[in-house]
Amino acid sequence: TSVALGLQGYHHGLIGFEKAGEAIGLLLSFLFGAFMCGLLIDKNYVHFGGKALYGVALVGNALLLLAAVLLEVEVKDSSTAAFCCAMACGLQNAMCTSHFGAVVRTTHVTGTITDIGSITGRMAMIYLRKGCRRSRLNALELAEVGVDARKLLVLGPMWLCFFFGTVVGAYLQHHCGVYALLLPAALTFSVGFSYTLFRPQLKNTLKRIEQGRLQKH
C-alpha cells in the first residue's frame, strides 16, 4: 500500500521519489529478511531440536535491531536504520508461519483478527445448526470444532501478546526513543543464544518425551 501511494504521489508531483524509494526499500528489506530466514529454517512450522537454526535466526534478528539503533544514533541515517528494522521483521515473521494449522504472523495481526473472526463464525454456525447442543454434533463436526479450537488457542494468546507488546513498546519509545529497540534485541538475543547453547539437550529431551508417548500407546 505504501509503495503504491508513494508511486501515485510521485506521479502527480506531490512528493519526491525519495519517499516512494524508501517504501520500496522497506518492502525489499522485509523480503530479504524473510529470504534469510528461509535459508536458516527449512520448515514453515515449529520444529524444535531439528536442523532449523532458530537460534541463529533470533541472534541475527537481535543484531539487525542493534544495527538500527547504532545507525540512528551514531550515523544519523534513519532510512538505513528503518531498512534494518524491516529486515528484522521479515526474518522474525518467517520463522514460523504455521502452528496447529493456524497461520502465524508475529509482526502484524490484521490477518490474525480476520482468522479469529472467521473461525469463531464457523464454530458458531455449527452449533446454531444443532440448536447449540454439543451432543447433537456428528463426528465430522466435532473434529472441525476441535481443529478450530486449537487454532484459537494459538491465535488468541498471540493477539493478546501482540497488543501487550504494542502498549509496552509505545511507552518505551516515548521515554527512551530509538533505544527502546534494545529491549526486543536483548530478548531475542538471549533466547537465540540459549537455544543454540542448549539445543542438543532440548533435542534429547523432546526425543525422550516422544518415546514415552509411543510406549503408552
Side-chain angles (χ1 to χ4, degrees), residues 67-207:
V69 174
L70 293 176
L71 285 166
E72 177 67 28
V73 174
E74 300 295 335
V75 187
K76 307 298 181 183
D77 189 349
S78 298
S79 295
T80 308
F83 295 156
C84 286
C85 287
M87 202 180 304
C89 287
L91 176 58
Q92 173 189 310
N93 206 48
M95 284 185 64
C96 171
T97 58
S98 176
H99 189 52
F100 284 159
V103 176
V104 175
R105 292 289 182 266
T106 57
T107 59
H108 55 279
V109 292
T110 51
T112 301
I113 291 296
T114 302
D115 290 341
I116 290 175
S118 63
I119 288 170
T120 53
R122 284 197 304 269
M123 293 174 69
M125 180 53 67
I126 291 174
Y127 277 99
L128 287 172
R129 285 200 300 259
K130 300 298 182 178
C132 296
R133 294 185 180 180
R134 185 178 176 83
S135 59
R136 293 182 178 180
L137 271 60
N138 58 41
L140 179 59
E141 290 168 334
L142 285 172
E144 290 178 353
V145 169
V147 170
D148 283 341
R150 291 180 69 187
K151 291 180 181 179
L152 288 178
L153 287 175
V154 175
L155 297 175
M158 185 175 68
W159 183 87
L160 290 174
C161 290
F162 187 94
F163 177 74
F164 177 74
T166 58
V167 174
V168 173
Y171 276 97
L172 283 175
Q173 195 279 331
H174 178 73
H175 292 288
C176 306
V178 70
Y179 292 106
L181 289 174
L182 294 178
L183 177 61
L187 288 173
T188 53
F189 180 85
S190 300
V191 174
F193 181 77
S194 299
Y195 178 84
T196 302
L197 188 63
F198 297 107
R199 181 182 166 201
Q201 292 89 327
L202 178 62
K203 183 177 181 179
N204 292 332
T205 300
L206 293 174
K207 186 180 292 185

Side-chain angles (χ1 to χ4, degrees), residues 57-74:
L58 287 169
V59 170
N61 186 283
L63 293 178
L64 285 169
L65 293 176
L66 179 60
V69 174
L70 293 176
L71 285 166
E72 177 67 28
V73 174
E74 300 295 335

